[in-house]
């Protein structure tokens, strides 16, 4: 029997150490194909390139760079490069930095796993906390273990796994829900040498208590967090509330257009 194909991508770029470690680790499990952006695309989110052509470059054995986003890489890799035999698994990472709580929607690393899930490939995102002296060892290790298990115990369709690894020696693994971020939001305004304003989207240090049972608290307590995610963003508890609001749309005043009239 042939070895299962595994596609590996990330958002830190094809030359990042994290993707090399991930690919090497998964090569003990299957036949690895690495397809990643030609430069860092962190915080690219789930963006897809539609308005210019993409180029792919073979840069090593079963290793390609694409001048696009992580989502582009997943599409090119699965729907073009490996179209004759689809990969059994997709791994994205090992990201340089955590992807916890609400931050997953900014993350190109997690979005690549979203994309894998959307096109039917069981997908895992792996991210590493960065602190002085950190290594990729624990993240590379759990990726290979998870890959072996997922080949035998598949995820439910439409779901993916988000893994975050604390720096230092993890105390174990916790399966937890996605938490909420606690940064204070800030836009910092400065003045450029020509006297015009420019801006940094900033974040002030985290504040408040960590909610227990979340990815944030698990990593804070030095556990590897494992969180099943899905792409259905529906808030089911709000369906009846929003139905009640929508039922009154006819009564609500509109400004320029009347929503009751077809346009
Ligand atoms: Mn990144």
């Amino acid at each position: 029997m042939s070895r299962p194909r595994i596609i590996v991508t990330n958002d830190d770029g094809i030359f990042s150490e994290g993707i090399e470690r991930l690919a090497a680790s998964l090569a003990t499990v299957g036949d690895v194909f690495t397809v990643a952006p030609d430069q860092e695309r962190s915080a690219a989110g789930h963006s897809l390139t539609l308005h210019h052509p993409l180029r792919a470059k073979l840069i090593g054995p079963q290793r390609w760079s694409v001048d696009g986003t992580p989502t582009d890489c997943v599409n090119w890799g699965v729907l073009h490069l490996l179209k004759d035999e689809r990969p059994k698994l997709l791994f994205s990472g090992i990201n340089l930095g955590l992807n916890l709580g609400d931050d997953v929607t900014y993350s190109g690393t997690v979005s690549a796993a979203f994309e894998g899930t959307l096109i039917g490939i069981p997908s895992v995102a792996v991210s590493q906390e960065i602190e002085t002296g950190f290594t990729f060892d624990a993240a590379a290790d759990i990726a290979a273990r998870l890959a072996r298990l997922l080949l035998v115990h598949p995820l439910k369709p439409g779901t993916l796994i988000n893994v975050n690894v604390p720096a230092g020696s993890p105390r174990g693994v916790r399966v937890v829900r996605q938490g909420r971020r606690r940064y204070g939001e800030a836009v910092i305004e400065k003045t450029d040498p020509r006297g015009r304003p420019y801006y940094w989207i900033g974040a002030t240090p985290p504040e408040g208590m960590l909610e227990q049972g979340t990815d944030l608290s698990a990593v804070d307590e030095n556990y590897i967090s494992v969180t099943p995610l899905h792409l259905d963003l529906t808030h089911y508890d709000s369906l009846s509330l929003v139905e009640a609001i929508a039922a009154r749309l006819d009564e609500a005043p509109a400004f320029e257009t009347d929503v009751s009239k077809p346009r």
Side-chain angles (χ1 to χ4, degrees):
M1 208 186 85
S2 66
R3 303 177 76 217
R5 286 182 163 184
I6 303 175
I7 184 163
V8 171
T9 190
N10 76 349
D11 73 2
D12 294 334
I14 190 75
F15 299 111
S16 74
E17 188 188 344
I19 202 169
E20 283 183 27
R21 289 296 307 274
L22 183 59
S25 180
L26 292 172
T28 66
V29 182
D31 192 16
V32 171
F33 295 80
T34 303
V35 181
D38 62 350
Q39 56 181 292
E40 183 177 346
R41 300 302 297 262
S42 291
H46 202 168
S47 63
L48 181 67
T49 300
L50 292 178
H51 299 293
H52 66 78
L54 295 170
R55 305 275 181 182
K57 200 161 145 187
L58 181 67
I59 57 161
Q62 301 195 162
R63 202 159 159 254
W64 284 263
S65 73
V66 173
D67 60 347
T69 66
T71 293
D72 294 332
C73 291
V74 172
N75 280 282
W76 184 83
V78 174
L79 304 179
H80 177 75
L81 178 70
L82 304 178
K83 63 172 181 275
D84 59 318
E85 185 195 330
R86 283 188 154 215
K88 291 275 188 294
L89 293 172
L90 178 148
F91 273 74
S92 181
I94 302 165
N95 187 62
L96 207 52
L98 296 169
N99 281 305
L100 297 168
D102 305 289
D103 285 349
V104 299
T105 58
Y106 303 110
S107 167
T109 297
V110 179
S111 292
F114 284 153
E115 190 66 11
T117 301
L118 281 174
I119 58 179
I121 311 293
S123 298
V124 179
V126 184
S127 303
Q128 171 66 50
E129 184 179 33
I130 306 308
E131 269 176 21
T132 311
F134 85 95
T135 73
F136 287 112
D137 295 350
D141 179 72
I142 192 170
R145 289 170 194 269
L146 255 180
R148 277 196 190 90
L149 287 168
L150 290 176
L151 289 169
V152 186
H153 305 282
L155 295 173
K156 289 188 178 174
T159 66
L160 59 136
I161 288 184
N162 186 30
V163 177
N164 282 276
V165 179
S169 304
R171 292 160 69 188
V173 172
R174 274 190 188 161
V175 177
V176 281
R177 66 193 155 85
Q178 182 188 345
R180 288 208 214 121
R181 72 166 172 198
R182 301 173 307 138
Y183 306 122
E185 291 91 7
V187 173
I188 295 143
E189 182 177 307
K190 302 270 182 188
T191 305
D192 77 12
R194 294 181 179 82
R196 296 173 307 191
Y198 67 92
Y199 305 93
W200 288 102
I201 309 289
T204 57
E207 47 199 46
M209 290 287 289
L210 279 174
E211 245 185 307
Q212 283 301 306
T214 64
D215 50 2
L216 288 144
S217 70
V219 171
D220 184 62
E221 289 163 32
N222 217 23
Y223 286 87
I224 296 174
S225 71
V226 173
T227 302
L229 299 177
H230 64 157
L231 283 117
D232 178 357
L233 299 178
T234 311
H235 191 263
Y236 288 91
D237 287 352
S238 292
L239 281 172
S240 56
L241 170 72
V242 176
E243 255 166 31
I245 293 170
R248 309 192 68 160
L249 277 171
D250 282 350
E251 303 160 26
F255 291 98
E256 286 169 314
T257 56
D258 183 347
V259 292
S260 67
K261 288 197 199 98
R263 288 198 282 157

